Amino acid sequence: MSTLVSEQWAERRLAEGSQRPNDHRTPWQRDRARILHSAAFRRLQAKTQIMSVGQNDFYRTRLTHSLEAAQIGTALVAQLRVQQEEAELRSLISDDSLMEALCLAHDLGHPPYGHGGEKALNACMLPFGGFEGNGQTLRIVGKLEPYTASGGMNLSRRTLLGLLKYPIVQPPLQNDNALAVKPVKAIYQDDADLLDWILAPLSAADKALFQHTESLSKAPYVKSVHKSLDASVMELADDIAYGVHDLEDAVVTGTVTRQHWQQLVEPQLGQLTEQMASGLVAIGEKLFMPEHHIRKDAIGALVNQLITSVELYISLPKASEPLIRYNARLPQAQQQLLNLLKSFVYDAVICAPEVQRAEYKGQRIVRDLFDAFASESERLLPANTKKRWQQADNAQAKARVICDYVSGMTDEYALRMHQQLFSS
């Protein structure tokens, strides 16, 4: 443990009941193992990333995306370590096991059918506290996954801190239709006790700085501003994997063409430096070559350009806790490049009619399932879930149990369940 980092960050919420003789692993190695061997992680193999599951055998799933994000995350922390001349700052950077744990777990809370499913569940849960994928991730690792009776995977405090992309409790939801489309980026009020435990090592002043929010003019109305150092690296790894590797999927499957690239990317090159713009033109030529190895070289060049530019900076100068005082980021030019790639994937792939039709279908499936289980809970819920539902002591808690069940489904399981309940 770094001399800059308190031992409290290695603590677990529950005392470990069983001992493992001769287990010499670090807390982060144990956390990674618990995530890797969890049912929630295995389910990611059948959850959509972007391309619809079953359309071909090449697309990335949530699971392969998480594995690639983990590789990028360890490359980012290796780069950050090399850059730090001070030993203490170097030791502050997470080790590979911790970063792998964060990247492997970051999508555990995503429901079936991607962001479409997330919007659908948020609409269903609007009277009961809403739904949001990152909040659900914390709920899975902190309460639901049956590694312990009631404490989820019982991960270490620093790992849980690193999973907090939005370290605030969700404010009371308003009856605004836009909220059904825009889930609030926050932790559920049901899980405020877990958030309080994670942030317990922070002083009152540090906690106030860390949980600062901005007011927005439209739903979801508030936005948290800060995240921990580890979370900032994890989010960068996620963004790079999304912006570059999902682009590769789209090119190989023919979803985007050279014409798409010329229409949507090349007119935006003026945003970039001259050197970066010319490099992106060359990469664009390689991306659409028929030879796979040439395309792979272009993808590798993009990833390398982003990873090697990462830098450490002070994001909260007044904070005394180093894990929230420092963050990682890309310099402005490289961030603009990544933003351009992400917007291209969004415009050319996610907004494509065939993808939107699949998302719409997924949203209908998720809403139908939630409505069915909510209206006929005693009849339709499986035994374990029904027991939790019966033990819930109010309408909001009962709805959250149903939401947990539906959000944990894979795309294929949700489709089969929908067919059982609604097909003639």
Side-chain angles (χ1 to χ4, degrees):
M1 181 75 78
S2 164
T3 55
L4 283 178
V5 180
S6 163
E7 291 291 334
Q8 288 179 289
W9 294 109
E11 293 176 350
R12 300 179 189 276
R13 196 177 186 196
L14 301 179
E16 298 281 66
S18 56
Q19 301 301 315
R20 299 288 189 268
N22 302 315
D23 186 351
H24 302 295
R25 294 175 298 170
T26 67
W28 330 125
Q29 288 173 323
R30 294 170 68 193
D31 287 351
R32 179 186 59 186
R34 293 179 189 189
I35 293 162
L36 193 60
H37 293 287
S38 68
F41 182 71
R42 290 194 297 277
R43 290 190 188 103
L44 295 179
Q45 67 187 305
K47 291 195 177 187
T48 299
Q49 176 64 9
I50 288 183
M51 314 299 259
S52 296
V53 169
Q55 286 189 352
N56 57 66
D57 60 0
F58 177 84
Y59 62 87
R60 287 172 165 90
T61 64
R62 289 275 175 193
L63 187 141
T64 57
H65 162 75
S66 298
L67 292 172
E68 289 173 337
Q71 185 277 318
I72 293 171
T74 57
L76 287 169
V77 294
Q79 190 72 25
L80 287 171
R81 279 190 222 106
V82 168
Q83 294 173 2
Q84 309 314 312
E85 296 181 359
E86 296 180 36
E88 283 199 329
L89 273 184
R90 193 160 55 247
S91 66
L92 176 64
I93 308 300
S94 74
D95 71 4
D96 287 356
S97 296
L98 173 56
M99 187 48 56
E100 286 180 358
L102 297 178
C103 293
L104 293 174
H106 82 280
D107 267 353
L108 292 183
H110 274 277
Y113 302 106
H115 289 291
E118 182 182 37
K119 294 172 187 175
L121 270 180
N122 186 53
C124 294
M125 286 294 293
L126 196 55
F128 309 108
F131 176 85
E132 196 276 326
N134 295 285
Q136 191 68 18
T137 293
L138 183 69
R139 185 167 171 80
I140 288 170
V141 300
K143 292 189 174 181
L144 299 180
E145 187 66 23
Y147 187 89
T148 63
S150 60
M153 299 182 195
N154 200 29
L155 302 179
S156 58
R157 187 184 258 118
R158 181 169 176 176
T159 300
L160 293 174
L161 179 72
L163 288 173
L164 291 176
K165 289 177 69 173
Y166 315 108
I168 59 171
V169 173
Q170 191 178 75
L173 298 182
Q174 303 181 33
N175 263 333
D176 188 322
N177 289 334
L179 279 174
V181 179
K182 292 266 191 179
V184 177
K185 303 297 185 181
I187 304 306
Y188 306 140
Q189 292 180 2
D190 299 346
D191 302 323
D193 58 327
L194 180 56
L195 180 63
D196 287 343
W197 181 83
I198 295 169
L199 302 184
L202 299 181
S203 67
D206 275 6
K207 188 175 179 182
L209 287 169
F210 189 50
Q211 294 189 299
H212 178 69
T213 60
E214 290 180 350
S215 297
L216 304 177
S217 60
K218 56 184 180 180
Y221 301 115
V222 295
K223 176 185 177 183
S224 64
V225 179
H226 302 292
K227 56 182 64 68
S228 71
L229 168 60
D230 299 329
S232 71
V233 179
M234 176 267 286
E235 189 169 42
L236 270 180
D238 182 25
D239 284 351
I240 293 171
Y242 165 76
V244 180
H245 290 144
D246 288 344
L247 168 61
E248 181 184 17
D249 271 8
V251 171
V252 173
T253 57
T255 305
V256 299
T257 63
R258 189 189 299 270
Q259 287 70 35
H260 286 119
W261 182 268
Q262 291 169 341
Q263 292 169 6
L264 296 174
V265 174
E266 293 186 2
Q268 306 299 320
L269 294 180
Q271 301 176 19
L272 308 177
T273 64
E274 184 176 344
Q275 181 181 4
M276 197 168 287
S278 61
L280 194 56
V281 170
I283 286 172
E285 290 298 316
K286 291 182 177 181
L287 273 176
F288 298 96
M289 292 283 189
E291 296 87 356
H292 290 286
H293 68 280
I294 295 178
R295 182 170 55 249
K296 270 295 180 188
D297 181 62
I299 293 295
L302 274 175
V303 173
N304 179 72
Q305 187 173 159
L306 296 170
I307 288 175
T308 55
S309 67
V310 68
E311 60 187 21
L312 196 69
Y313 76 106
I314 297 176
S315 58
L316 279 174
K318 295 182 180 179
S320 57
E321 170 55 58
L323 287 179
I324 66 169
R325 178 179 171 84
Y326 295 93
N327 265 201
R329 67 183 177 191
L330 299 181
Q332 183 178 4
Q334 283 77 12
Q335 186 61 54
Q336 287 175 328
L337 171 61
L338 180 56
N339 291 344
L340 181 56
L341 295 173
K342 287 169 61 181
S343 65
F344 175 65
V345 170
Y346 180 81
D347 292 337
V349 182
I350 295 177
C351 292
E354 57 271 23
V355 174
Q356 286 300 304
R357 291 180 198 126
E359 181 174 299
Y360 176 78
K361 179 181 178 181
Q363 287 176 287
R364 291 297 301 268
I365 289 172
V366 168
R367 293 198 68 156
D368 286 348
L369 290 176
F370 184 93
D371 291 344
F373 290 123
S375 62
E376 298 285 353
S377 306
E378 293 277 4
R379 294 175 61 194
L380 301 179
L381 289 173
N384 288 342
T385 305
K386 182 164 69 174
K387 183 177 179 181
R388 285 184 57 222
W389 180 85
Q390 290 169 336
Q391 292 171 343
D393 57 5
N394 56 63
Q396 178 165 319
K398 288 181 181 295
R400 184 63 64 189
V401 170
I402 295 168
C403 182
D404 290 339
Y405 176 55
V406 175
S407 69
M409 294 180 180
T410 64
D411 296 18
E412 295 170 0
Y413 183 85
L415 178 59
R416 290 199 306 271
M417 182 65 71
H418 191 270
Q419 290 170 339
Q420 287 178 19
L421 292 174
F422 296 102
S423 291
S424 58

